[in-house]
Amino acid sequence: MKNYNCFIVSCFMLLFSMTASFAQDKEAKITLTFAKVDSVNVCKALVTSEGSPVIEIPVNLSVKRLFSNLALGDAVSTDSTGVATFEVPQDIPSRDGKLTIFAKIEDDENYMNTETSGEVNWGTIVVSDNSNINERSIAAGRNGAPIYFIISSLLVIGLVWGFLIYSVLQVFKIKRLGTINKD
């Protein structure tokens, strides 16, 4: 009976994997458009599948950052025309003013995971002030470290070496006292 149980469980697992693999068989396409409406940055994501708009599907909007994408709010569902409308904040910092914006469909029951991106000049240009680059600071390297860091590290190193030398001298002193008491 145990052999049959294993066989039945294997069959159920095989059937479940086949039904799960066909759950997300539709492919969606996302098209991004950018516009400035009444001094508000608006991004519209048009979601279509096989030429017709997709209704009530959540779309996530994010902007590219240094290590990963930064989500711009919660997911917005598409309306009856297949468009999800987002307001993009105007204070997102960037080096050259360009932002790479991603629209993504994730974990939907009917459609596969889809992502598209577009670039727009909506970023706030950040100018870094490096006028104090030659000053001593905690984050600086060897040459720019604060004087008290250098003195304290040299003091600690000197104390450790002093303790080691003192210990070796004590060992020799103990050895010498042992030879004197033997005579």
Side-chain angles (χ1 to χ4, degrees), residues 67-88:
F67 295 113
S68 65
N69 293 343
L70 173 69
L72 297 177
D74 295 329
V76 175
S77 295
T78 56
D79 57 9
S80 61
T81 60
V83 175
T85 305
F86 298 91
E87 288 185 14
V88 179

Side-chain angles (χ1 to χ4, degrees), residues 27-100:
E27 188 172 331
K29 182 181 177 189
I30 305 173
T31 307
L32 290 177
T33 56
F34 304 104
K36 194 162 193 146
V37 178
D38 295 331
S39 73
V40 175
N41 298 332
V42 176
C43 175
K44 293 183 180 182
L46 172 64
V47 182
T48 57
S49 176
E50 300 170 357
S52 61
V54 179
I55 301 169
E56 296 297 323
I57 188 167
V59 178
N60 296 314
L61 196 72
S62 59
V63 64
K64 183 178 181 180
R65 296 284 85 194
L66 188 60
F67 295 113
S68 65
N69 293 343
L70 173 69
L72 297 177
D74 295 329
V76 175
S77 295
T78 56
D79 57 9
S80 61
T81 60
V83 175
T85 305
F86 298 91
E87 288 185 14
V88 179
Q90 296 180 353
D91 58 348
I92 300 174
S94 71
R95 290 191 182 271
D96 55 357
K98 293 182 181 178
L99 296 176
T100 304

Side-chain angles (χ1 to χ4, degrees), residues 1-182:
M1 187 68 183
K2 268 189 170 178
N3 293 338
Y4 293 116
N5 285 340
C6 249
F7 177 72
I8 292 172
V9 168
S10 299
C11 287
F12 278 129
M13 288 177 57
L14 183 65
L15 286 173
F16 179 73
S17 66
M18 286 175 31
T19 57
S21 66
F22 294 119
Q24 295 181 341
D25 58 351
K26 295 180 185 175
E27 188 172 331
K29 182 181 177 189
I30 305 173
T31 307
L32 290 177
T33 56
F34 304 104
K36 194 162 193 146
V37 178
D38 295 331
S39 73
V40 175
N41 298 332
V42 176
C43 175
K44 293 183 180 182
L46 172 64
V47 182
T48 57
S49 176
E50 300 170 357
S52 61
V54 179
I55 301 169
E56 296 297 323
I57 188 167
V59 178
N60 296 314
L61 196 72
S62 59
V63 64
K64 183 178 181 180
R65 296 284 85 194
L66 188 60
F67 295 113
S68 65
N69 293 343
L70 173 69
L72 297 177
D74 295 329
V76 175
S77 295
T78 56
D79 57 9
S80 61
T81 60
V83 175
T85 305
F86 298 91
E87 288 185 14
V88 179
Q90 296 180 353
D91 58 348
I92 300 174
S94 71
R95 290 191 182 271
D96 55 357
K98 293 182 181 178
L99 296 176
T100 304
I101 296 181
F102 292 91
K104 187 185 294 186
I105 298 172
E106 288 180 315
D107 301 331
D108 190 64
E109 296 173 353
N110 300 320
Y111 295 94
M112 296 183 344
N113 292 347
T114 307
E115 179 179 82
T116 188
S117 66
E119 196 169 278
V120 66
N121 289 326
W122 286 346
T124 303
I125 298 176
V126 177
V127 179
S128 58
D129 180 24
N130 294 331
S131 62
N132 60 352
I133 194 83
N134 293 327
E135 293 180 9
R136 293 188 177 272
S137 68
I138 292 176
R142 270 188 291 199
N143 299 334
I147 297 296
Y148 57 87
F149 274 11
I150 296 171
I151 291 172
S152 16
S153 64
L154 290 176
L155 184 65
V156 167
I157 292 169
L159 287 173
V160 168
W161 275 104
F163 178 75
L164 291 174
I165 292 171
Y166 176 75
S167 300
V168 169
L169 290 177
Q170 289 300 314
V171 168
F172 285 125
K173 187 176 178 182
I174 291 172
K175 185 178 179 183
R176 190 183 62 200
L177 286 175
T179 58
I180 292 176
N181 289 339
K182 207 184 242 187

